[in-house]
Amino acid sequence: VARMTARNNGELISLINTMLDITETEAGVAHIKNEKFDVIQVLNEACELFRPLAEEKQVTLVSTLPSAQVIIGDRKRMQRVVTNLLENAIKYTNAGGAVSVSAEVHESGIDIVFEDSGIGISEKDLPHIYDRFFRGDRSRPRGGFGLGLSLAKAYTESMRGRIDVRSSLDRGSVFKLTFERTTSNA
């Protein structure tokens, strides 16, 4: 009983901290680092971290990433965004499905794409996926609090980025992050 209480308290504290992060970020009062970092390195690290989970679920995880690309932002926040999107892609993809992470560099910046062949998001739910605590009908049995995409959107926008989504039921989802890049790559 004590272990369960401690775990529940830990989950509650995590939930409260995530809510505070979202609120502070959206209000513009969060401390956000503006540092140069290699976003491709962050993506590669996340793919390696989640590869065992994908293999355990029998989901193919493929990454198609260019060489180093430097952006300006908060590396830790970018790690949270990437982790949320990659974890969701794997969570909502059934055995035998696939998740891909790719990046395309263009003149003004970089597009980072998370694509899955998962359960997809209904047209009815799509406008609400970034709302705090929103969980679509099909996502409820898979756990979570409905804060991951709210946090991903707040963090992405705090780094002057944009997040877009396309999705079809039973065909999967595509989340695209767009960031400006620095003029030098390292």
Side-chain angles (χ1 to χ4, degrees):
V1 174
R3 227 181 252 161
M4 191 167 71
T5 301
R7 184 171 39 92
N8 288 343
N9 285 343
E11 288 176 3
L12 183 59
I13 290 168
S14 176
L15 175 71
I16 291 167
N17 286 335
T18 300
M19 282 295 303
L20 285 171
D21 283 350
I22 294 168
T23 302
E24 288 175 351
T25 301
E26 288 177 345
V29 297
H31 176 68
I32 298 167
K33 288 184 180 177
N34 264 329
E35 59 189 346
K36 288 182 179 183
F37 67 93
D38 178 6
V39 70
I40 302 304
Q41 182 181 13
V42 170
L43 292 166
N44 279 320
E45 289 168 357
C47 287
E48 287 312 305
L49 179 69
F50 281 95
R51 199 165 304 285
L53 175 64
E55 288 171 1
E56 183 180 305
K57 276 198 74 186
Q58 298 176 349
V59 169
T60 303
L61 175 58
V62 176
S63 58
T64 310
L65 300 168
S67 59
Q69 295 299 315
V70 176
I71 65 171
I72 296 175
D74 189 312
R75 182 183 174 89
K76 287 196 182 308
R77 287 175 184 258
M78 179 60 82
Q79 287 171 326
R80 290 273 310 265
V81 170
V82 168
T83 298
N84 274 333
L85 293 175
L86 191 51
E87 185 176 31
N88 279 353
I90 294 168
K91 181 195 299 189
Y92 295 111
T93 299
N94 294 321
V99 170
S100 72
V101 179
S102 62
E104 182 182 329
V105 179
H106 45 83
E107 194 173 304
S108 62
I110 185 167
D111 292 334
I112 301 164
V113 179
F114 299 83
E115 186 169 359
D116 67 62
S117 62
I119 64 171
I121 304 165
S122 74
E123 250 183 76
K124 167 182 78 89
D125 289 345
L126 215 47
H128 305 287
I129 62 170
Y130 301 112
D131 297 348
R132 291 178 207 168
F133 299 110
F134 179 78
R135 308 224 32 254
D137 291 338
R138 300 181 92 198
S139 67
R140 286 193 184 111
R142 300 191 186 219
F145 294 109
L147 292 175
L149 290 177
S150 276
L151 186 71
K153 184 175 195 272
Y155 279 8
T156 298
E157 290 177 351
S158 74
M159 293 184 284
R160 297 169 308 286
R162 191 176 76 236
I163 186 169
D164 298 298
V165 62
R166 290 188 334 264
S167 189
S168 298
L169 282 180
D170 300 318
R171 291 191 176 157
S173 301
V174 178
F175 282 86
K176 181 172 85 170
L177 304 173
T178 302
F179 293 97
E180 290 183 18
R181 167 173 81 92
T182 65
T183 52
S184 65
N185 290 327

